[in-house]
Amino acid sequence: MGISNLNRSLWVFHVNTGSCNGCDIEIVAALMPRYDIERFGMKLVGSPRHADVLLVTGPVTMDMSAKLKRVYEQTPDPKVVIAVGNCGATGGVFYESYCLDGPIDNIIPVDVYVRGCPPRPEAIINGVVKAWAKLEKKEAGK
Amino acid sequence: MALIPLIAAAAIVFGLVLKGIDRIVAARMQARIGPPVTQPFTDIKKLLMKENIVPRNSVPLIFNLMPVIALASALLVILYLPIAGFPPLLEGSGDLVLVLYILIFPSLAMVIGGFASGSPYATVGAQREMVTMMSYEFPLAITAVTTAWLVSSAGHAASFSLYTIATANVWALVGPIGLVGLLLLFIALLFVMPGELAKIPFDSAEAETEIAGGLLVEYSGTNLALFYLTDAVKTVAMASIITAIFLPFSIGPLFGFAGNESIAAEIVFYILKVIAVVFVGTTFARVAIARFRITQIVKVYLGHTTAIALLGLALVTADVLLGGV
């Protein structure tokens, strides 16, 4: 999947649903000079209303599950959801904890899972590219 | 009048290119590569195809009307400005005071839109924006009035017209004391620029890390694109005002250009001047300094910047009264 398929203006909103902050630091690392995702037109925005991509980290605690759903609904279409880290995909080390509503796909539809604890910034960037390619395929099929 | 859509389109394109340059330069200053110059155009195209959400808590009419008013008034300012040394399209029907008034409109539209969007974050942002506007308006007015008075005391009629000020070249009207005074006023105006454009360090009204985008928090899709364009056009307007008052130099006579050559050279020179002003006024400031709190913004504008502007006013006045010593 070539990088040219990526729509070159992705605004990313980051939702922390109870993550240990490991994945969040890797997301910030992707913004820094070494990876510099602004090269591809991506930037972090402060409001889900401005976002195209939801980067969701964490295993979704009970406290966060309604809020995650609300953030998903607040994001304008077309949108993409990416679960970053093992916790978001399976619960990770918090698997079957009594205070979890997750993983993420119990609450909102997830387009791409980026695995790792935490995943490397390359993996996160790759995940965003794949998610957008998937969305384009979906739009083309319509 | 057939020129109006052309000038509007040119202002939008130039504003977006300026935004692109600003982002690249900021990235390079942070040891990053940065997006391509065309990035703002891509952003706009993307925003226009996104869903346009109107929140249930909002007042839909005002919420949807304000982005249009903001862009329209920002474009209206451009029509009153002398661009590249040419008289403004609406010359004679308005002057510097009117420009200062219309310049408030885009910010005011954002404030009203923020209040109408029914989000507590937007309300906080709107209140901060109002406080910021009230703070920078005073040094801005001092600078405008001082230059206009200087031009009128040099014997020019219609001294409040920006075109008169631009052709009179304020630097040529004063002696050494006045030069220092004008320099201080220039600095005060450069301080006002990031506040006017809601850029770091004066962007507490839109602080995305603390109040989630502030004024713009509920805006999405087309409405957000309109505010994005407003910001681009306002950058051109503000930089053009600074260029017209303090950098009114022309390059044509220097190289002996004439006719069409001279017009082309003036336009290129004007673009370079605007890029330089935007670099100093916004890009450098936003990379070098962190965001001020709203209380600090008031202190910087009503304290320091006003002090600089008043000192400039005093020096220019002294210079004129003493007859250019």
Side-chain angles (χ1 to χ4, degrees):
Chain A
M1 207 50 70
I3 201 86
S4 60
N5 279 354
L6 175 72
N7 184 318
R8 286 180 154 262
S9 164
L10 291 179
W11 291 2
V12 179
F13 183 71
H14 169 214
V15 195
N16 183 336
T17 64
S19 161
C20 69
N21 214 26
C23 299
D24 315 304
I25 286 176
E26 296 304 318
I27 291 171
V28 175
L31 293 168
M32 292 296 118
R34 187 171 179 96
Y35 296 101
D36 186 26
I37 53 169
E38 206 192 354
R39 280 180 297 159
F40 311 121
M42 296 182 212
K43 68 172 188 181
L44 275 187
V45 290
S47 161
R49 296 274 195 230
H50 307 172
D52 310 299
V53 179
L54 285 182
L55 278 186
V56 189
T57 59
V60 192
T61 58
M62 284 173 169
D63 214 30
M64 279 305 288
S65 92
K67 285 151 196 160
L68 175 61
K69 198 156 178 237
R70 188 140 175 231
V71 166
Y72 178 77
E73 282 160 358
Q74 281 175 336
T75 311
D77 285 324
K79 62 190 161 196
V80 165
V81 178
I82 301 173
V84 176
N86 280 346
C87 295
T90 64
V93 291
F94 307 108
Y95 182 65
E96 286 198 329
S97 166
Y98 62 91
C99 61
L100 291 191
D101 253 359
I104 295 163
D105 48 13
N106 280 353
I107 294 120
I108 56 172
V110 176
D111 292 291
V112 171
Y113 298 90
V114 180
R115 300 301 291 263
C117 185
R120 291 186 62 83
E122 294 101 317
I124 297 174
I125 297 171
N126 186 34
V128 176
V129 175
K130 278 194 173 145
W132 196 263
K134 187 176 167 183
L135 193 77
E136 278 192 340
K137 225 181 262 174
K138 215 173 10 178
E139 292 280 308
K142 236 193 271 184
Chain B
M1 289 302 120
L3 272 175
I4 289 180
L6 198 69
I7 290 182
I12 288 175
V13 170
F14 185 36
L16 289 177
V17 170
L18 276 180
K19 251 173 135 52
I21 294 173
D22 166 76
R23 281 177 74 172
I24 289 187
V25 174
R28 295 291 156 90
M29 287 164 85
Q30 294 170 338
R32 294 186 290 116
I33 291 172
V37 183
T38 52
Q39 187 59 46
F41 295 92
T42 323
D43 287 348
I44 290 290
K45 270 188 260 167
K46 183 215 55 187
L47 284 173
L48 288 177
M49 67 166 225
K50 292 278 286 184
E51 188 187 2
N52 194 7
I53 298 177
V54 179
R56 203 188 303 147
N57 285 346
S58 69
V59 187
L61 177 69
I62 301 178
F63 184 82
N64 288 321
L65 190 62
M66 282 310 141
V68 181
I69 291 186
L71 182 57
S73 47
L75 286 170
L76 187 60
V77 176
I78 297 283
L79 301 181
Y80 281 104
L81 299 179
I83 305 279
F86 300 111
L89 210 56
L90 301 179
E91 171 72 12
S93 53
D95 54 17
L96 187 52
V97 179
L98 185 68
V99 166
L100 293 189
Y101 271 115
I102 309 174
L103 208 54
I104 299 172
F105 261 77
S107 313
L108 205 59
M110 281 174 85
V111 167
I112 298 171
F115 278 128
S117 50
S119 156
Y121 289 121
T123 309
V124 171
Q127 286 166 350
R128 287 184 181 183
E129 175 72 24
M130 278 199 300
V131 171
T132 312
M133 276 161 62
M134 285 188 269
S135 313
Y136 68 64
E137 218 47 61
F138 190 39
L140 183 61
I142 294 175
T143 312
V145 170
T146 312
T147 45
W149 179 73
L150 174 65
V151 171
S152 93
S153 60
H156 291 271
S159 65
F160 264 101
S161 148
L162 258 174
Y163 182 57
T164 312
I165 296 177
T167 43
N169 186 3
V170 285
W171 302 99
L173 303 176
V174 289
I177 308 177
L179 276 184
V180 178
L182 281 178
L183 206 59
L184 289 174
L185 290 172
F186 188 20
I187 292 169
L189 203 53
L190 282 176
F191 263 96
V192 170
M193 188 178 177
E196 178 73 51
L197 304 174
K199 292 281 154 61
I200 294 173
F202 299 107
D203 74 330
S204 74
E206 288 170 27
E208 63 259 4
T209 40
E210 30 175 320
I211 51 170
L215 294 166
L216 301 174
V217 69
E218 295 292 342
Y219 278 101
S220 58
T222 316
N223 284 340
L224 187 60
L226 288 175
F227 274 134
Y228 198 98
L229 291 175
T230 307
D231 183 42
V233 176
K234 254 169 80 181
T235 312
V236 178
M238 198 61 203
S240 297
I241 292 175
I242 296 180
T243 317
I245 297 181
F246 287 111
L247 301 168
F249 316 111
S250 59
I251 202 172
L254 205 62
F255 293 100
F257 290 135
N260 286 340
E261 259 182 351
S262 154
I263 292 175
E266 288 304 336
I267 289 174
V268 171
F269 190 49
Y270 159 77
I271 290 173
L272 292 179
K273 281 191 288 191
V274 166
I275 290 174
V277 168
V278 169
F279 173 74
V280 177
T282 65
T283 314
F284 179 70
R286 84 183 171 95
V287 175
I289 318 176
R291 178 181 303 126
F292 285 131
R293 286 196 312 268
I294 184 67
T295 50
Q296 291 169 322
I297 290 181
V298 176
K299 206 191 260 173
V300 166
Y301 276 138
L302 281 183
H304 304 104
T305 313
T306 304
I308 292 174
L310 281 176
L311 189 60
L313 166 73
L315 288 177
V316 171
T317 314
D319 186 274
V320 170
L321 294 183
L322 297 175
V325 180

